[in-house]
């Protein structure tokens, strides 16, 4: 046992002397850190490039959705389209009249709502009501006419008569369309 302990002490002493004379561990550590830093920098550049590509393709897809729904562009009523993804309904399209009527909620940027669900777009009270109506239309497949409220430009509730309907595309995508048919006078003022 003493031989093993002595041998171990000699190895440690040898390593200690090498370190004191040549700073071997310090230089190896610095070299290793330099190489790792260089590799991480290259990986970071690759991630940034991939992120930029994804952002560009996302913008392209949003613009394509506007082209796909061109038939609603000149309609004088607010129209929107959502797609069901899992348990959420994701906004895919809003027409210019929707932007004019409800743009105060999203700084009048038509692409700001695309890709978000009800709970990301509206206060919880309204989002839950919209979700329940969307799920009803998605499950039953029947048109739904409702009177409901949204936030007006002055921050007060705005009452409107809305119609929602469903379309299933390619037997897989459930699309929910909505249109505000008319705004009603609000008697709660």
């Amino acid at each position: 046992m003493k031989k093993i302990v002595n041998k171990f002490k000699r190895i440690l002493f040898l390593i200690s002397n090498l370190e004191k004379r040549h700073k071997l561990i310090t230089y190896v550590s610095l070299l290793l850190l330099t190489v790792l830093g260089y590799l991480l920098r290259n990986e970071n550049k690759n991630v940034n490039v991939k992120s930029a590509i994804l952002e560009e393709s996302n913008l392209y897809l949003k613009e394509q959705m506007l082209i796909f729904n061109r038939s609603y562009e000149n309609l004088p009523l607010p129209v929107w389209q959502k797609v069901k993804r899992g348990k959420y309904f994701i906004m895919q399209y809003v027409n210019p009249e929707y932007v004019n009527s409800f743009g105060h909620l999203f700084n009048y940027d038509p692409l700001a709502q695309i890709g978000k669900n009800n709970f990301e777009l509206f206060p919880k009270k309204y989002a839950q009501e919209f979700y329940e109506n969307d799920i009803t239309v998605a499950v039953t497949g029947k048109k739904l006419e409702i009177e409901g409220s949204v936030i007006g430009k002055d921050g007060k509730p705005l009452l409107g008569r809305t119609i929602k309907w469903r379309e299933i595309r390619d037997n897989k995508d459930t699309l929910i369309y909505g249109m505000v048919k008319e705004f009603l006078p609000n008697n709660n003022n």
Side-chain angles (χ1 to χ4, degrees):
M1 184 74 174
K2 280 187 173 182
K3 286 183 180 182
I4 295 174
V5 170
N6 286 338
K7 198 172 196 179
F8 184 69
K9 283 181 181 179
R10 275 190 254 142
I11 291 173
L12 283 175
F13 183 72
L14 179 67
I15 292 172
S16 174
N17 282 339
L18 278 173
E19 174 58 26
K20 286 178 185 174
R21 288 184 191 154
H22 303 290
K23 304 286 185 204
L24 199 59
I25 294 175
T26 304
Y27 292 130
V28 169
S29 298
L30 283 174
L31 180 64
L32 181 64
L33 288 173
T34 303
V35 169
L36 287 174
Y38 178 76
L39 293 175
L40 287 174
R41 191 177 80 201
N42 282 342
E43 187 175 326
N44 190 26
K45 285 180 184 177
N46 292 339
V47 168
N48 287 341
V49 168
K50 288 178 183 176
S51 174
I53 290 170
L54 286 175
E55 286 176 12
E56 189 68 30
S57 72
N58 187 28
L59 183 60
Y60 173 75
L61 289 173
K62 287 179 180 180
E63 290 170 352
Q64 288 300 100
M65 189 53 59
L66 293 176
I67 292 170
F68 176 75
N69 289 300
R70 187 173 286 155
S71 58
Y72 297 110
E73 287 291 304
N74 295 325
L75 198 64
L77 299 170
V79 177
W80 62 93
Q81 177 196 63
K82 299 176 188 174
V83 64
K84 187 172 188 308
R85 292 284 182 253
K87 64 180 186 174
Y88 294 108
F89 293 91
I90 309 299
M91 189 72 79
Q92 278 199 162
Y93 169 77
V94 294
N95 74 344
E97 187 56 35
Y98 181 95
V99 175
N100 290 339
S101 299
F102 306 112
H104 59 280
L105 298 172
F106 49 93
N107 295 327
Y108 296 95
D109 178 8
L111 299 180
Q113 288 209 325
I114 295 177
K116 297 180 181 173
N117 66 45
N118 291 331
F119 297 97
E120 295 171 323
L121 296 172
F122 306 106
K124 186 173 175 141
K125 173 186 168 187
Y126 298 111
Q128 185 63 37
E129 182 182 332
F130 297 158
Y131 175 79
E132 290 170 4
N133 293 333
D134 290 342
I135 199 76
T136 301
V137 172
V139 170
T140 65
K142 297 179 182 176
K143 289 182 182 179
L144 181 66
E145 285 197 44
I146 47 177
E147 284 185 15
S149 56
V150 293
I151 300 171
K153 292 181 182 182
D154 56 0
K156 295 180 181 175
L158 186 65
L159 195 61
R161 186 170 287 132
T162 304
I163 183 169
K164 291 187 175 191
W165 67 96
R166 175 186 86 177
E167 180 181 315
I168 297 180
R169 191 177 351 148
D170 300 329
N171 292 328
K172 59 183 176 181
D173 283 337
T174 301
L175 303 176
I176 303 296
Y177 287 91
M179 177 173 55
V180 177
K181 290 172 49 176
E182 65 179 315
F183 290 104
L184 305 170
N186 196 348
N187 297 331
N188 296 338
N189 292 336

